[in-house]
Amino acid sequence: MKLDSRLSSVLHVLLHMAEKETPATSEILSRYLGTNPVVVRRTMASLREAGLVRSERGRGGGWTLARQLSAITLRQIYEALGAPALFAFGNRNDRPDCLVEQAVNARIEGAMEEAEALLLARFEAVTLADLQADFRARLPVHLQEIHVHGRA
Amino acid sequence: MKLDSRLSSVLHVLLHMAEKETPATSEILSRYLGTNPVVVRRTMASLREAGLVRSERGRGGGWTLARQLSAITLRQIYEALGAPALFAFGNRNDRPDCLVEQAVNARIEGAMEEAEALLLARFEAVTLADLQADFRARLPVHLQEIHVHGRA
DNA sequence: CTTCATGTAACTTCATATGTTACGTTAAAT
DNA sequence: ATTTAACGTAACATATGAAGTTACATGAAG
C-alpha cells in the first residue's frame, strides 16, 4: 500500500521554516524532502488556503508561517490537507443489502471510528511549538542555547 | 488511496460459509462479493495456511471452517492475511538523519502505535460467533428462530 | 526588462489491491 | 477410463492516487 506522507513532509518543512527569519523558497524546502519544488507548492497551497501559511511571489518571495507555532495544531494541518483517508483498509461496499455484510461492516466501522477519534485527538493535542521543543531536545546540549535564546 | 477490503470480504464469506452445511465453492463465495473465484481462492489460501479454513479439491469440494466460530477472532484473520498495513499515511523516511524529521516522525509514530494497538485490541475481542450473533439480530424476528435453532 | 519566485496545468511514474485468463492438479461420478 | 467439478497458481491487465516532472504563465524586486 502506497502511503500518503504529506502530513509528515509538511510538518518537517514547517519546522525548518520556523528556524528561519526570511521566507523559504519551494526550492529550499524541496531539498529538505529530497523532492521537487512543484510538489512543495502543491502541498503548501492547501495550507495557504487554510490560512496557516502565506506565500509571496517574486524576488525575495517564498513561504512564511501565518501564525505562531503554538497556534497551529497537527489536526489543523491534517484538515488543511483535505483530511485524507487515515486507513488503508475498509469495507468492500458501504451500503450493502446483505445483512451479513451489514453486520461485518458495523463492527469494522466501529473499530475504525474509535481509532480515528484517537488519532485526531492526538493530532489536536500537538502544536508545532511542541514539535519544535521535541526537536530542540534532540540537539546536543551546547547547541540548544543558541536555538532557544539566539533566535526570535 | 486505494483501500484493502480483504478483511471485510473474508469475514463476509466466512459467515456465509457458517450458514451452510456443505463445503462452499469459490464460485459461490465469489458471488457474495461480486468478484471472481480466483480472488476468493487467493485470499482464502492465506486463511488455510493459518489453519482457519480447509479446502478440498475435486467434485463436492470447496471451503470449510477449520474451527468453531467462537474460536476465530478478527485479529487471527487479520494476521492470517499477512497483517497488512492499517494506515494510509506514514512518515516519508523511516530513518532520517535530520533531527527535525526525527522529532516529527516520533510524534506521528506514537499516535499511530496507539491507534494500531486500539484497533488490534478490538479485533482480538471479536470472534466470528459475535459477528454471527450481530447478523442474526438483524434478521426479522420470525426468521431468527430458524437460524438459531433450525441449524447446527 | 531581467531575474527570481509562486501558480498551475498536463503528463508520467510507481505501487499494489483487484480482476482476468489460462492451464495444471485432484477427486468424485459415470 | 473418462468426464466433470473443484482448487492451485502463474501470468498478465486494470484502476487508483500520491508523487514526480515538464512547461509555461504570473507577479514582484532590482
Side-chain angles (χ1 to χ4, degrees):
Chain A
M1 180 64 48
K2 187 159 201 180
L3 298 180
D4 180 343
S5 62
R6 282 178 294 171
L7 181 62
S8 163
S9 297
V10 83
L11 291 174
H12 182 182
V13 302
L14 287 173
L15 290 179
H16 277 293
M17 283 166 58
E19 302 289 318
K20 279 180 100 267
E21 314 280 329
T22 54
T25 66
S26 304
E27 164 65 26
I28 287 173
L29 297 180
S30 72
R31 282 202 286 260
Y32 289 123
L33 301 177
T35 183
N36 189 297
V38 177
V39 174
V40 171
R41 284 186 207 122
R42 186 191 288 157
T43 308
M44 294 291 283
S46 309
L47 301 201
R48 184 187 52 227
E49 284 158 23
L52 302 178
V53 299
R54 280 189 280 264
S55 63
E56 282 176 289
R57 295 172 147 193
R59 190 185 280 264
W63 299 91
T64 47
L65 291 164
R67 303 186 195 169
Q68 290 194 325
L69 292 181
S70 60
I72 301 180
T73 67
L74 269 58
R75 166 107 188 226
Q76 289 173 320
I77 296 170
Y78 165 75
E79 305 282 355
L81 293 174
L86 295 172
F87 300 104
F89 68 104
N91 293 319
R92 187 177 183 90
N93 301 311
D94 279 325
R95 297 207 187 291
D97 292 332
C98 172
L99 293 178
V100 169
E101 192 167 8
Q102 287 179 19
V104 169
N105 281 6
R107 285 277 189 170
I108 292 184
E109 281 165 13
M112 289 175 75
E113 282 163 15
E114 281 188 83
E116 175 164 344
L118 188 154
L119 276 174
L120 294 182
R122 293 294 175 277
F123 287 171
E124 191 149 16
V126 180
T127 68
L128 290 182
D130 296 322
L131 289 179
Q132 187 180 54
D134 289 351
F135 153 61
R136 286 176 173 170
R138 288 169 188 268
L139 286 172
V141 175
H142 67 282
L143 287 180
Q144 292 185 13
E145 285 299 306
I146 295 170
H147 278 80
V148 175
H149 301 299
R151 295 256 191 178
Chain B
M1 181 65 48
K2 187 158 203 181
L3 299 182
D4 181 343
S5 61
R6 282 178 294 171
L7 181 62
S8 163
S9 296
V10 83
L11 291 173
H12 183 184
V13 301
L14 288 172
L15 290 178
H16 277 293
M17 283 165 58
E19 302 287 320
K20 280 181 95 266
E21 314 280 330
T22 55
T25 66
S26 304
E27 164 66 26
I28 288 172
L29 296 180
S30 73
R31 282 203 285 260
Y32 288 123
L33 300 176
T35 182
N36 189 297
V38 177
V39 174
V40 171
R41 286 187 205 120
R42 187 190 290 155
T43 307
M44 295 292 283
S46 310
L47 300 201
R48 184 186 52 227
E49 284 158 24
L52 302 178
V53 299
R54 279 189 281 264
S55 63
E56 282 176 289
R57 295 173 147 193
R59 191 185 280 262
W63 301 91
T64 48
L65 291 164
R67 302 185 195 170
Q68 290 194 324
L69 293 180
S70 59
I72 301 180
T73 67
L74 269 57
R75 168 107 187 227
Q76 289 172 321
I77 295 170
Y78 165 74
E79 305 283 353
L81 292 174
L86 294 172
F87 300 104
F89 67 104
N91 293 320
R92 187 178 183 90
N93 301 313
D94 279 328
R95 297 205 187 292
D97 292 332
C98 172
L99 294 176
V100 169
E101 192 165 9
Q102 287 177 19
V104 169
N105 281 5
R107 284 279 190 169
I108 292 184
E109 281 165 13
M112 289 175 75
E113 281 162 16
E114 282 188 83
E116 175 164 345
L118 188 153
L119 276 175
L120 294 182
R122 293 293 176 276
F123 286 172
E124 190 148 18
V126 179
T127 69
L128 290 183
D130 296 322
L131 290 179
Q132 187 181 54
D134 290 351
F135 153 61
R136 285 175 173 168
R138 288 170 188 268
L139 286 171
V141 175
H142 67 284
L143 288 179
Q144 292 185 14
E145 285 297 307
I146 296 170
H147 278 80
V148 176
H149 301 299
R151 295 257 192 176

